[in-house]
Short mmCIF file of all heavy atoms in Angstrom, two decimals:
data_model
loop_
_atom_site.label_atom_id
_atom_site.label_comp_id
_atom_site.label_asym_id
_atom_site.label_seq_id
_atom_site.Cartn_x
_atom_site.Cartn_y
_atom_site.Cartn_z
N MET R 11 -5.96 -19.02 -12.67
CA MET R 11 -6.25 -18.75 -14.09
C MET R 11 -7.33 -17.67 -14.17
O MET R 11 -8.27 -17.73 -13.45
CB MET R 11 -6.69 -20.00 -14.83
CG MET R 11 -7.03 -19.65 -16.28
SD MET R 11 -7.53 -21.21 -17.11
CE MET R 11 -6.35 -21.22 -18.48
N SER R 12 -7.17 -16.69 -15.01
CA SER R 12 -8.04 -15.60 -15.14
C SER R 12 -9.34 -16.02 -15.76
O SER R 12 -9.32 -16.88 -16.77
CB SER R 12 -7.43 -14.49 -15.98
OG SER R 12 -6.29 -14.03 -15.31
N GLY R 13 -10.48 -15.54 -15.32
CA GLY R 13 -11.72 -15.89 -15.87
C GLY R 13 -12.24 -14.62 -16.73
O GLY R 13 -11.84 -13.54 -16.46
N LEU R 14 -12.96 -14.92 -17.79
CA LEU R 14 -13.49 -13.90 -18.73
C LEU R 14 -14.63 -13.19 -17.97
O LEU R 14 -15.56 -13.91 -17.52
CB LEU R 14 -13.94 -14.51 -20.09
CG LEU R 14 -14.20 -13.52 -21.13
CD1 LEU R 14 -12.98 -12.70 -21.50
CD2 LEU R 14 -14.71 -14.26 -22.32
N LEU R 15 -14.62 -11.85 -17.90
CA LEU R 15 -15.59 -11.16 -17.23
C LEU R 15 -16.24 -10.19 -18.30
O LEU R 15 -15.65 -9.74 -19.24
CB LEU R 15 -14.91 -10.21 -16.23
CG LEU R 15 -14.04 -10.87 -15.18
CD1 LEU R 15 -13.25 -9.84 -14.45
CD2 LEU R 15 -14.85 -11.75 -14.24
N GLU R 16 -17.47 -9.76 -18.00
CA GLU R 16 -18.08 -8.67 -18.71
C GLU R 16 -18.01 -7.39 -17.91
O GLU R 16 -18.49 -7.42 -16.77
CB GLU R 16 -19.61 -9.03 -19.09
CG GLU R 16 -20.29 -7.94 -19.88
CD GLU R 16 -21.67 -8.15 -20.32
OE1 GLU R 16 -22.16 -9.26 -19.99
OE2 GLU R 16 -22.26 -7.28 -20.82
N VAL R 17 -17.46 -6.41 -18.46
CA VAL R 17 -17.34 -5.12 -17.71
C VAL R 17 -18.37 -4.19 -18.36
O VAL R 17 -18.31 -3.88 -19.59
CB VAL R 17 -15.90 -4.54 -17.82
CG1 VAL R 17 -15.80 -3.28 -17.17
CG2 VAL R 17 -14.98 -5.59 -17.31
N ARG R 18 -19.10 -3.54 -17.46
CA ARG R 18 -20.12 -2.54 -17.95
C ARG R 18 -19.76 -1.18 -17.30
O ARG R 18 -19.54 -1.13 -16.16
CB ARG R 18 -21.51 -2.93 -17.57
CG ARG R 18 -21.91 -4.27 -18.19
CD ARG R 18 -23.41 -4.62 -17.97
NE ARG R 18 -23.80 -4.60 -16.60
CZ ARG R 18 -24.99 -4.90 -16.14
NH1 ARG R 18 -25.96 -5.23 -17.06
NH2 ARG R 18 -25.34 -4.81 -14.88
N TYR R 19 -19.68 -0.24 -18.20
CA TYR R 19 -19.28 1.13 -17.76
C TYR R 19 -20.52 2.02 -17.70
O TYR R 19 -21.34 2.00 -18.60
CB TYR R 19 -18.29 1.76 -18.71
CG TYR R 19 -16.97 0.98 -18.90
CD1 TYR R 19 -16.83 0.16 -19.98
CD2 TYR R 19 -15.95 1.05 -17.89
CE1 TYR R 19 -15.55 -0.50 -20.06
CE2 TYR R 19 -14.78 0.41 -18.08
CZ TYR R 19 -14.64 -0.34 -19.14
OH TYR R 19 -13.50 -1.10 -19.31
N PHE R 20 -20.54 2.85 -16.66
CA PHE R 20 -21.66 3.85 -16.44
C PHE R 20 -21.14 5.24 -16.38
O PHE R 20 -20.05 5.46 -15.79
CB PHE R 20 -22.48 3.49 -15.25
CG PHE R 20 -23.20 2.09 -15.44
CD1 PHE R 20 -22.51 0.96 -15.11
CD2 PHE R 20 -24.47 1.99 -15.95
CE1 PHE R 20 -23.15 -0.36 -15.26
CE2 PHE R 20 -25.08 0.85 -16.12
CZ PHE R 20 -24.44 -0.32 -15.76
N ALA R 21 -21.90 6.20 -16.85
CA ALA R 21 -21.64 7.67 -16.70
C ALA R 21 -20.23 8.05 -17.17
O ALA R 21 -19.83 7.78 -18.24
CB ALA R 21 -22.01 8.08 -15.34
N GLY R 22 -19.49 8.65 -16.25
CA GLY R 22 -18.19 9.12 -16.60
C GLY R 22 -17.18 7.97 -16.88
O GLY R 22 -16.18 8.20 -17.69
N ALA R 23 -17.42 6.83 -16.41
CA ALA R 23 -16.55 5.69 -16.73
C ALA R 23 -16.84 5.28 -18.23
O ALA R 23 -15.81 4.94 -18.87
CB ALA R 23 -16.86 4.46 -15.83
N ARG R 24 -18.00 5.31 -18.68
CA ARG R 24 -18.27 5.08 -20.06
C ARG R 24 -17.66 6.05 -20.91
O ARG R 24 -17.02 5.74 -21.98
CB ARG R 24 -19.86 5.09 -20.33
CG ARG R 24 -20.23 4.73 -21.78
CD ARG R 24 -21.65 4.83 -22.02
NE ARG R 24 -22.46 4.00 -21.17
CZ ARG R 24 -23.62 4.32 -20.68
NH1 ARG R 24 -24.15 5.44 -21.00
NH2 ARG R 24 -24.32 3.44 -19.86
N ALA R 25 -17.72 7.31 -20.62
CA ALA R 25 -16.99 8.34 -21.40
C ALA R 25 -15.49 8.17 -21.41
O ALA R 25 -14.89 8.32 -22.45
CB ALA R 25 -17.40 9.74 -20.92
N ALA R 26 -14.88 7.80 -20.35
CA ALA R 26 -13.53 7.65 -20.19
C ALA R 26 -13.00 6.41 -20.99
O ALA R 26 -11.92 6.45 -21.61
CB ALA R 26 -13.07 7.58 -18.72
N ALA R 27 -13.79 5.34 -20.92
CA ALA R 27 -13.45 4.17 -21.66
C ALA R 27 -13.77 4.23 -23.15
O ALA R 27 -13.17 3.44 -23.95
CB ALA R 27 -14.16 2.93 -21.05
N GLY R 28 -14.72 5.02 -23.49
CA GLY R 28 -15.17 5.14 -24.95
C GLY R 28 -16.04 4.06 -25.42
O GLY R 28 -16.23 3.81 -26.59
N LEU R 29 -16.60 3.27 -24.44
CA LEU R 29 -17.52 2.24 -24.77
C LEU R 29 -18.40 1.96 -23.61
O LEU R 29 -18.05 2.28 -22.41
CB LEU R 29 -16.77 0.96 -25.30
CG LEU R 29 -15.45 0.44 -24.65
CD1 LEU R 29 -15.86 -0.35 -23.44
CD2 LEU R 29 -14.66 -0.24 -25.54
N SER R 30 -19.42 1.09 -23.73
CA SER R 30 -20.27 0.87 -22.67
C SER R 30 -20.08 -0.56 -22.05
O SER R 30 -20.48 -0.76 -20.88
CB SER R 30 -21.79 0.96 -23.08
OG SER R 30 -22.04 0.03 -24.05
N THR R 31 -19.51 -1.43 -22.80
CA THR R 31 -19.19 -2.83 -22.27
C THR R 31 -18.04 -3.48 -23.03
O THR R 31 -17.83 -3.06 -24.15
CB THR R 31 -20.49 -3.65 -22.36
OG1 THR R 31 -20.31 -4.94 -21.72
CG2 THR R 31 -20.87 -3.96 -23.82
N GLU R 32 -17.41 -4.29 -22.36
CA GLU R 32 -16.35 -5.10 -22.95
C GLU R 32 -16.07 -6.43 -22.22
O GLU R 32 -16.57 -6.50 -21.01
CB GLU R 32 -15.09 -4.30 -23.17
CG GLU R 32 -14.33 -3.97 -21.83
CD GLU R 32 -13.12 -3.10 -22.08
OE1 GLU R 32 -12.21 -3.54 -22.88
OE2 GLU R 32 -12.87 -2.05 -21.50
N ARG R 33 -15.39 -7.33 -22.79
CA ARG R 33 -15.02 -8.57 -22.10
C ARG R 33 -13.48 -8.57 -21.86
O ARG R 33 -12.73 -8.25 -22.82
CB ARG R 33 -15.43 -9.78 -22.98
CG ARG R 33 -17.00 -9.93 -23.00
CD ARG R 33 -17.42 -11.24 -23.51
NE ARG R 33 -18.82 -11.42 -23.47
CZ ARG R 33 -19.50 -11.92 -22.44
NH1 ARG R 33 -18.83 -12.21 -21.38
NH2 ARG R 33 -20.83 -12.04 -22.49
N ILE R 34 -13.14 -9.00 -20.73
CA ILE R 34 -11.63 -9.16 -20.45
C ILE R 34 -11.44 -10.07 -19.34
O ILE R 34 -12.35 -10.41 -18.50
CB ILE R 34 -11.15 -7.68 -19.88
CG1 ILE R 34 -9.67 -7.64 -19.83
CG2 ILE R 34 -11.90 -7.30 -18.69
CD1 ILE R 34 -9.04 -6.22 -19.67
N ALA R 35 -10.33 -10.76 -19.32
CA ALA R 35 -9.97 -11.74 -18.33
C ALA R 35 -9.21 -11.12 -17.19
O ALA R 35 -8.26 -10.36 -17.46
CB ALA R 35 -9.14 -12.89 -18.93
N ALA R 36 -9.61 -11.38 -15.92
CA ALA R 36 -8.91 -10.78 -14.84
C ALA R 36 -9.21 -11.67 -13.57
O ALA R 36 -10.27 -12.27 -13.57
CB ALA R 36 -9.32 -9.37 -14.61
N ASP R 37 -8.29 -11.63 -12.63
CA ASP R 37 -8.45 -12.41 -11.44
C ASP R 37 -9.11 -11.69 -10.24
O ASP R 37 -9.80 -12.32 -9.45
CB ASP R 37 -7.11 -13.01 -10.89
CG ASP R 37 -6.50 -13.95 -11.87
OD1 ASP R 37 -7.21 -14.82 -12.43
OD2 ASP R 37 -5.21 -13.86 -12.18
N SER R 38 -8.94 -10.47 -10.16
CA SER R 38 -9.34 -9.54 -9.05
C SER R 38 -9.70 -8.14 -9.60
O SER R 38 -9.32 -7.89 -10.66
CB SER R 38 -8.30 -9.54 -7.96
OG SER R 38 -7.17 -8.77 -8.36
N LEU R 39 -10.31 -7.39 -8.72
CA LEU R 39 -10.49 -5.98 -9.17
C LEU R 39 -9.27 -5.26 -9.36
O LEU R 39 -9.20 -4.42 -10.17
CB LEU R 39 -11.53 -5.25 -8.12
CG LEU R 39 -12.88 -5.66 -8.08
CD1 LEU R 39 -13.71 -4.98 -7.06
CD2 LEU R 39 -13.59 -5.32 -9.46
N ASP R 40 -8.31 -5.48 -8.44
CA ASP R 40 -6.92 -4.84 -8.67
C ASP R 40 -6.37 -5.19 -10.07
O ASP R 40 -5.89 -4.42 -10.72
CB ASP R 40 -6.00 -5.30 -7.56
CG ASP R 40 -6.06 -4.47 -6.26
OD1 ASP R 40 -6.64 -3.35 -6.40
OD2 ASP R 40 -5.59 -4.95 -5.25
N ASP R 41 -6.39 -6.49 -10.39
CA ASP R 41 -6.00 -6.96 -11.65
C ASP R 41 -6.75 -6.29 -12.78
O ASP R 41 -6.26 -5.78 -13.75
CB ASP R 41 -6.09 -8.49 -11.69
CG ASP R 41 -5.48 -9.10 -12.96
OD1 ASP R 41 -4.59 -8.55 -13.49
OD2 ASP R 41 -6.04 -10.19 -13.38
N LEU R 42 -8.04 -6.27 -12.63
CA LEU R 42 -8.98 -5.72 -13.67
C LEU R 42 -8.70 -4.24 -13.84
O LEU R 42 -8.59 -3.77 -15.00
CB LEU R 42 -10.42 -5.90 -13.28
CG LEU R 42 -11.49 -5.34 -14.19
CD1 LEU R 42 -11.40 -6.04 -15.56
CD2 LEU R 42 -12.90 -5.52 -13.50
N THR R 43 -8.56 -3.53 -12.76
CA THR R 43 -8.38 -2.01 -12.87
C THR R 43 -7.00 -1.67 -13.58
O THR R 43 -6.94 -0.80 -14.37
CB THR R 43 -8.57 -1.32 -11.59
OG1 THR R 43 -7.70 -1.83 -10.63
CG2 THR R 43 -9.96 -1.32 -11.11
N SER R 44 -6.08 -2.54 -13.20
CA SER R 44 -4.72 -2.32 -13.93
C SER R 44 -4.81 -2.61 -15.39
O SER R 44 -4.30 -1.89 -16.30
CB SER R 44 -3.68 -3.22 -13.26
OG SER R 44 -2.46 -3.10 -13.83
N LEU R 45 -5.45 -3.74 -15.78
CA LEU R 45 -5.56 -4.07 -17.18
C LEU R 45 -6.38 -3.01 -18.00
O LEU R 45 -6.09 -2.62 -19.07
CB LEU R 45 -6.20 -5.42 -17.35
CG LEU R 45 -5.44 -6.62 -16.86
CD1 LEU R 45 -6.33 -7.92 -16.74
CD2 LEU R 45 -4.19 -6.90 -17.78
N LEU R 46 -7.49 -2.54 -17.33
CA LEU R 46 -8.32 -1.52 -18.05
C LEU R 46 -7.59 -0.21 -18.20
O LEU R 46 -7.72 0.44 -19.15
CB LEU R 46 -9.66 -1.37 -17.20
CG LEU R 46 -10.58 -2.55 -17.28
CD1 LEU R 46 -11.75 -2.33 -16.38
CD2 LEU R 46 -11.03 -2.91 -18.65
N ALA R 47 -6.83 0.17 -17.12
CA ALA R 47 -6.02 1.41 -17.19
C ALA R 47 -4.96 1.31 -18.42
O ALA R 47 -4.84 2.21 -19.10
CB ALA R 47 -5.44 1.75 -15.86
N ASP R 48 -4.32 0.13 -18.47
CA ASP R 48 -3.31 -0.08 -19.49
C ASP R 48 -3.97 0.01 -20.88
O ASP R 48 -3.47 0.55 -21.87
CB ASP R 48 -2.63 -1.32 -19.34
CG ASP R 48 -1.69 -1.37 -18.18
OD1 ASP R 48 -1.36 -0.34 -17.69
OD2 ASP R 48 -1.27 -2.53 -17.84
N ARG R 49 -5.25 -0.53 -20.99
CA ARG R 49 -5.91 -0.62 -22.24
C ARG R 49 -6.45 0.74 -22.71
O ARG R 49 -6.46 1.03 -23.91
CB ARG R 49 -7.10 -1.66 -22.10
CG ARG R 49 -7.84 -1.84 -23.45
CD ARG R 49 -9.00 -2.90 -23.22
NE ARG R 49 -8.41 -4.17 -23.27
CZ ARG R 49 -9.06 -5.34 -23.35
NH1 ARG R 49 -10.40 -5.32 -23.28
NH2 ARG R 49 -8.55 -6.51 -23.34
N HIS R 50 -7.01 1.55 -21.75
CA HIS R 50 -7.69 2.72 -22.12
C HIS R 50 -7.12 4.13 -21.69
O HIS R 50 -7.55 5.10 -22.04
CB HIS R 50 -9.16 2.67 -21.50
CG HIS R 50 -10.00 1.54 -22.01
ND1 HIS R 50 -10.47 1.55 -23.36
CD2 HIS R 50 -10.44 0.37 -21.53
CE1 HIS R 50 -11.23 0.35 -23.50
NE2 HIS R 50 -11.11 -0.28 -22.39
N GLY R 51 -6.09 4.01 -20.92
CA GLY R 51 -5.30 5.22 -20.54
C GLY R 51 -5.54 5.93 -19.28
O GLY R 51 -6.41 5.38 -18.52
N GLU R 52 -4.94 7.03 -19.09
CA GLU R 52 -4.93 7.75 -17.83
C GLU R 52 -6.34 8.31 -17.47
O GLU R 52 -6.68 8.27 -16.22
CB GLU R 52 -3.95 8.89 -17.89
CG GLU R 52 -3.82 9.62 -16.63
CD GLU R 52 -3.18 8.85 -15.47
OE1 GLU R 52 -2.58 7.76 -15.72
OE2 GLU R 52 -3.44 9.13 -14.31
N ARG R 53 -7.17 8.70 -18.47
CA ARG R 53 -8.40 9.21 -18.08
C ARG R 53 -9.29 8.15 -17.40
O ARG R 53 -9.93 8.51 -16.29
CB ARG R 53 -9.13 9.71 -19.33
CG ARG R 53 -10.44 10.43 -19.10
CD ARG R 53 -11.03 10.98 -20.37
NE ARG R 53 -12.41 11.57 -20.14
CZ ARG R 53 -13.27 11.61 -20.98
NH1 ARG R 53 -12.98 11.25 -22.30
NH2 ARG R 53 -14.52 12.03 -20.67
N LEU R 54 -9.27 6.98 -17.91
CA LEU R 54 -10.03 5.88 -17.25
C LEU R 54 -9.35 5.39 -15.91
O LEU R 54 -10.06 5.19 -14.98
CB LEU R 54 -10.20 4.65 -18.16
CG LEU R 54 -11.04 3.52 -17.57
CD1 LEU R 54 -12.45 3.98 -17.14
CD2 LEU R 54 -11.12 2.34 -18.47
N ALA R 55 -8.02 5.54 -15.91
CA ALA R 55 -7.34 5.12 -14.67
C ALA R 55 -7.73 6.00 -13.48
O ALA R 55 -7.94 5.44 -12.37
CB ALA R 55 -5.86 5.20 -14.92
N LEU R 56 -7.84 7.34 -13.76
CA LEU R 56 -8.35 8.25 -12.70
C LEU R 56 -9.79 7.89 -12.25
O LEU R 56 -10.08 7.94 -11.02
CB LEU R 56 -8.27 9.63 -13.20
CG LEU R 56 -6.83 10.25 -13.46
CD1 LEU R 56 -6.88 11.61 -14.06
CD2 LEU R 56 -6.13 10.29 -12.07
N VAL R 57 -10.69 7.52 -13.17
CA VAL R 57 -12.07 7.28 -12.86
C VAL R 57 -12.01 5.97 -12.07
O VAL R 57 -12.75 5.83 -11.02
CB VAL R 57 -12.87 7.09 -14.06
CG1 VAL R 57 -14.31 6.45 -13.74
CG2 VAL R 57 -13.14 8.38 -14.80
N LEU R 58 -11.27 4.98 -12.37
CA LEU R 58 -11.22 3.71 -11.73
C LEU R 58 -10.76 3.84 -10.31
O LEU R 58 -11.22 3.03 -9.36
CB LEU R 58 -10.38 2.69 -12.40
CG LEU R 58 -10.84 2.25 -13.82
CD1 LEU R 58 -9.83 1.41 -14.53
CD2 LEU R 58 -12.19 1.52 -13.68
N LYS R 59 -9.84 4.76 -9.99
CA LYS R 59 -9.38 4.98 -8.62
C LYS R 59 -10.39 5.39 -7.65
O LYS R 59 -10.47 5.06 -6.45
CB LYS R 59 -8.32 6.02 -8.62
CG LYS R 59 -6.97 5.49 -9.14
CD LYS R 59 -5.94 6.56 -9.10
CE LYS R 59 -4.56 6.12 -9.76
NZ LYS R 59 -3.62 7.18 -9.79
N ALA R 60 -11.50 6.11 -8.23
CA ALA R 60 -12.60 6.64 -7.35
C ALA R 60 -13.85 5.79 -7.48
O ALA R 60 -14.82 6.04 -6.77
CB ALA R 60 -12.88 8.06 -7.62
N ALA R 61 -13.92 4.89 -8.41
CA ALA R 61 -15.23 4.15 -8.76
C ALA R 61 -15.56 3.19 -7.75
O ALA R 61 -14.71 2.70 -6.90
CB ALA R 61 -14.95 3.42 -10.06
N SER R 62 -16.84 2.81 -7.70
CA SER R 62 -17.37 1.69 -6.95
C SER R 62 -17.64 0.56 -7.90
O SER R 62 -17.88 0.84 -9.16
CB SER R 62 -18.73 2.07 -6.28
OG SER R 62 -18.49 3.13 -5.33
N PHE R 63 -17.64 -0.64 -7.45
CA PHE R 63 -17.83 -1.83 -8.39
C PHE R 63 -18.93 -2.73 -7.85
O PHE R 63 -18.91 -3.01 -6.57
CB PHE R 63 -16.49 -2.59 -8.48
CG PHE R 63 -15.35 -1.82 -8.95
CD1 PHE R 63 -14.56 -1.06 -8.17
CD2 PHE R 63 -15.08 -1.76 -10.38
CE1 PHE R 63 -13.39 -0.36 -8.67
CE2 PHE R 63 -14.05 -0.99 -10.87
CZ PHE R 63 -13.20 -0.23 -10.08
N LEU R 64 -19.65 -3.14 -8.73
CA LEU R 64 -20.66 -4.23 -8.40
C LEU R 64 -20.26 -5.48 -9.15
O LEU R 64 -19.90 -5.38 -10.30
CB LEU R 64 -22.14 -3.82 -8.86
CG LEU R 64 -22.74 -2.59 -8.33
CD1 LEU R 64 -24.06 -2.36 -8.92
CD2 LEU R 64 -22.84 -2.65 -6.83
N VAL R 65 -20.22 -6.55 -8.48
CA VAL R 65 -19.88 -7.90 -9.05
C VAL R 65 -21.10 -8.67 -9.04
O VAL R 65 -21.62 -9.01 -7.94
CB VAL R 65 -18.68 -8.57 -8.36
CG1 VAL R 65 -18.44 -9.89 -9.03
CG2 VAL R 65 -17.41 -7.65 -8.42
N ASP R 66 -21.70 -9.03 -10.16
CA ASP R 66 -22.93 -9.72 -10.26
C ASP R 66 -24.04 -9.06 -9.44
O ASP R 66 -24.75 -9.71 -8.69
CB ASP R 66 -22.79 -11.14 -9.92
CG ASP R 66 -22.06 -11.92 -11.02
OD1 ASP R 66 -21.99 -11.52 -12.11
OD2 ASP R 66 -21.40 -12.98 -10.70
N GLY R 67 -24.06 -7.71 -9.40
CA GLY R 67 -25.09 -6.91 -8.71
C GLY R 67 -24.80 -6.62 -7.28
O GLY R 67 -25.60 -5.99 -6.63
N LEU R 68 -23.72 -7.15 -6.79
CA LEU R 68 -23.36 -6.90 -5.30
C LEU R 68 -22.15 -6.06 -5.18
O LEU R 68 -21.16 -6.21 -5.89
CB LEU R 68 -23.17 -8.22 -4.59
CG LEU R 68 -24.32 -9.25 -4.59
CD1 LEU R 68 -23.90 -10.57 -4.00
CD2 LEU R 68 -25.48 -8.70 -3.87
N ALA R 69 -22.19 -4.99 -4.33
CA ALA R 69 -21.11 -4.14 -4.02
C ALA R 69 -19.87 -5.00 -3.60
O ALA R 69 -19.93 -5.91 -2.79
CB ALA R 69 -21.38 -3.23 -2.90
N CYS R 70 -18.75 -4.79 -4.20
CA CYS R 70 -17.43 -5.39 -3.84
C CYS R 70 -16.50 -4.30 -3.42
O CYS R 70 -16.08 -3.51 -4.25
CB CYS R 70 -16.97 -6.15 -5.07
SG CYS R 70 -15.47 -7.10 -4.74
N HIS R 71 -16.07 -4.34 -2.17
CA HIS R 71 -15.10 -3.43 -1.64
C HIS R 71 -13.73 -3.98 -1.56
O HIS R 71 -12.77 -3.23 -1.27
CB HIS R 71 -15.57 -3.09 -0.23
CG HIS R 71 -17.03 -2.35 -0.28
ND1 HIS R 71 -17.28 -1.18 -0.85
CD2 HIS R 71 -18.16 -2.90 0.14
CE1 HIS R 71 -18.50 -0.92 -0.85
NE2 HIS R 71 -19.13 -1.99 -0.18
N ASP R 72 -13.59 -5.34 -1.59
CA ASP R 72 -12.26 -6.02 -1.54
C ASP R 72 -11.69 -6.14 -2.90
O ASP R 72 -12.11 -7.03 -3.64
CB ASP R 72 -12.40 -7.32 -0.87
CG ASP R 72 -11.08 -8.09 -0.68
OD1 ASP R 72 -10.05 -7.55 -1.10
OD2 ASP R 72 -11.11 -9.14 -0.07
N ARG R 73 -10.75 -5.24 -3.24
CA ARG R 73 -10.18 -5.27 -4.64
C ARG R 73 -9.26 -6.44 -4.85
O ARG R 73 -8.80 -6.59 -5.99
CB ARG R 73 -9.50 -3.92 -4.92
CG ARG R 73 -10.62 -2.79 -5.05
CD ARG R 73 -9.88 -1.56 -5.50
NE ARG R 73 -10.89 -0.48 -5.64
CZ ARG R 73 -10.93 0.35 -6.60
NH1 ARG R 73 -10.01 0.40 -7.50
NH2 ARG R 73 -11.83 1.30 -6.68
N GLN R 74 -8.95 -7.25 -3.84
CA GLN R 74 -8.07 -8.34 -4.03
C GLN R 74 -8.89 -9.69 -4.00
O GLN R 74 -8.29 -10.71 -4.30
CB GLN R 74 -7.00 -8.42 -2.92
CG GLN R 74 -6.04 -7.21 -3.09
CD GLN R 74 -5.00 -7.20 -1.98
OE1 GLN R 74 -4.98 -7.96 -1.01
NE2 GLN R 74 -3.99 -6.33 -2.11
N ALA R 75 -10.13 -9.66 -3.78
CA ALA R 75 -11.04 -10.81 -3.81
C ALA R 75 -11.02 -11.40 -5.24
O ALA R 75 -10.96 -10.71 -6.21
CB ALA R 75 -12.38 -10.54 -3.34
N ALA R 76 -11.10 -12.73 -5.22
CA ALA R 76 -11.11 -13.47 -6.63
C ALA R 76 -12.42 -13.15 -7.27
O ALA R 76 -13.51 -13.13 -6.61
CB ALA R 76 -10.94 -14.87 -6.36
N LEU R 77 -12.40 -12.96 -8.54
CA LEU R 77 -13.62 -12.72 -9.27
C LEU R 77 -14.03 -14.02 -9.99
O LEU R 77 -13.12 -14.68 -10.53
CB LEU R 77 -13.40 -11.53 -10.40
CG LEU R 77 -13.08 -10.15 -9.87
CD1 LEU R 77 -12.69 -9.30 -10.96
CD2 LEU R 77 -14.28 -9.59 -9.18
N PRO R 78 -15.25 -14.36 -9.90
CA PRO R 78 -15.69 -15.61 -10.53
C PRO R 78 -15.73 -15.51 -12.01
O PRO R 78 -16.12 -14.49 -12.62
CB PRO R 78 -17.10 -15.87 -9.93
CG PRO R 78 -17.58 -14.54 -9.49
CD PRO R 78 -16.38 -13.75 -9.08
N ALA R 79 -15.28 -16.49 -12.76
CA ALA R 79 -15.36 -16.48 -14.20
C ALA R 79 -16.78 -16.28 -14.65
O ALA R 79 -17.73 -16.87 -14.01
CB ALA R 79 -14.77 -17.84 -14.75
N GLY R 80 -16.93 -15.47 -15.63
CA GLY R 80 -18.35 -15.21 -16.21
C GLY R 80 -19.07 -14.13 -15.38
O GLY R 80 -20.13 -13.80 -15.75
N ALA R 81 -18.40 -13.49 -14.37
CA ALA R 81 -19.05 -12.43 -13.66
C ALA R 81 -19.34 -11.25 -14.46
O ALA R 81 -18.54 -10.92 -15.47
CB ALA R 81 -18.34 -12.16 -12.43
N THR R 82 -20.29 -10.37 -14.10
CA THR R 82 -20.45 -9.04 -14.66
C THR R 82 -19.97 -8.02 -13.66
O THR R 82 -20.41 -8.09 -12.50
CB THR R 82 -22.03 -8.86 -14.96
OG1 THR R 82 -22.40 -9.78 -15.96
CG2 THR R 82 -22.18 -7.46 -15.52
N VAL R 83 -19.13 -7.25 -14.12
CA VAL R 83 -18.55 -6.20 -13.18
C VAL R 83 -19.02 -4.83 -13.68
O VAL R 83 -18.80 -4.44 -14.78
CB VAL R 83 -17.01 -6.22 -13.18
CG1 VAL R 83 -16.52 -5.11 -12.30
CG2 VAL R 83 -16.53 -7.56 -12.68
N ASP R 84 -19.79 -4.11 -12.84
CA ASP R 84 -20.30 -2.73 -13.20
C ASP R 84 -19.35 -1.68 -12.57
O ASP R 84 -18.92 -1.85 -11.40
CB ASP R 84 -21.69 -2.53 -12.61
CG ASP R 84 -22.74 -3.39 -13.32
OD1 ASP R 84 -22.51 -3.76 -14.49
OD2 ASP R 84 -23.71 -3.79 -12.64
N VAL R 85 -18.90 -0.83 -13.39
CA VAL R 85 -18.02 0.28 -12.98
C VAL R 85 -18.81 1.48 -12.78
O VAL R 85 -19.37 2.01 -13.69
CB VAL R 85 -16.87 0.45 -14.00
CG1 VAL R 85 -15.92 1.64 -13.50
CG2 VAL R 85 -16.06 -0.80 -14.21
N LEU R 86 -18.94 1.97 -11.58
CA LEU R 86 -19.80 3.12 -11.16
C LEU R 86 -18.90 4.30 -10.71
O LEU R 86 -18.42 4.19 -9.55
CB LEU R 86 -20.82 2.69 -10.14
CG LEU R 86 -21.61 1.47 -10.48
CD1 LEU R 86 -22.43 1.04 -9.21
CD2 LEU R 86 -22.65 1.87 -11.60
N PRO R 87 -18.69 5.33 -11.44
CA PRO R 87 -17.93 6.43 -10.96
C PRO R 87 -18.77 7.19 -9.93
O PRO R 87 -19.89 7.12 -9.89
CB PRO R 87 -17.64 7.28 -12.15
CG PRO R 87 -18.86 6.93 -13.11
CD PRO R 87 -19.22 5.50 -12.77
N PRO R 88 -18.08 8.04 -9.14
CA PRO R 88 -18.71 8.88 -8.11
C PRO R 88 -19.81 9.81 -8.88
O PRO R 88 -19.48 10.28 -10.01
CB PRO R 88 -17.71 9.78 -7.48
CG PRO R 88 -16.39 9.12 -7.91
CD PRO R 88 -16.58 8.34 -9.14
N PHE R 89 -20.92 9.89 -8.38
CA PHE R 89 -22.02 10.71 -9.01
C PHE R 89 -22.10 12.04 -8.32
O PHE R 89 -21.99 12.06 -7.10
CB PHE R 89 -23.35 10.02 -8.97
CG PHE R 89 -23.34 8.81 -9.82
CD1 PHE R 89 -23.17 7.51 -9.31
CD2 PHE R 89 -23.62 8.83 -11.21
CE1 PHE R 89 -23.17 6.41 -10.08
CE2 PHE R 89 -23.62 7.71 -11.96
CZ PHE R 89 -23.39 6.47 -11.39
N ALA R 90 -22.32 13.05 -9.06
CA ALA R 90 -22.55 14.41 -8.46
C ALA R 90 -23.89 14.55 -7.96
O ALA R 90 -24.83 13.89 -8.36
CB ALA R 90 -22.23 15.43 -9.56
N GLY R 91 -24.12 15.49 -7.07
CA GLY R 91 -25.55 15.76 -6.61
C GLY R 91 -25.85 15.02 -5.31
O GLY R 91 -24.94 14.49 -4.75
N GLY R 92 -27.02 15.00 -4.89
CA GLY R 92 -27.33 14.35 -3.63
C GLY R 92 -28.62 13.72 -3.58
O GLY R 92 -29.20 13.28 -4.39
#
């Protein structure tokens, strides 16, 4: 069963989504990115393909790992500069 998550967008992800935060139910990062792309369109879908994700403040590289209900997921697009 999907758990309700808080998704926080930063930088270009915020611009692509058109908001800074939202709540959505998803089981994994793959599930979440698919739902968000459907909800917000191709511009955000492109950002999500290159984005990094923090789940409750910890980097998450396994997009198929189960997300705990109530987790906060930060969407961090690639940043320019060095």
Side-chain angles (χ1 to χ4, degrees):
M11 177 180 238
S12 298
L14 193 60
L15 309 167
E16 179 177 0
V17 179
R18 300 188 307 183
Y19 299 102
F20 294 87
R24 181 183 304 144
L29 43 83
S30 61
T31 187
E32 69 180 308
R33 291 191 177 275
I34 189 168
D37 293 319
S38 67
L39 286 177
D40 276 343
D41 185 32
L42 178 64
T43 56
S44 178
L45 291 167
L46 294 174
D48 288 347
R49 182 179 282 189
H50 297 289
E52 185 63 22
R53 185 173 173 208
L54 182 60
L56 290 172
V57 171
L58 293 172
K59 286 180 184 178
S62 297
F63 299 90
L64 301 180
V65 177
D66 289 336
L68 300 174
C70 183
H71 303 290
D72 182 357
R73 291 187 178 219
Q74 295 179 351
L77 294 171
T82 298
V83 178
D84 294 331
V85 181
L86 307 170
F89 293 96

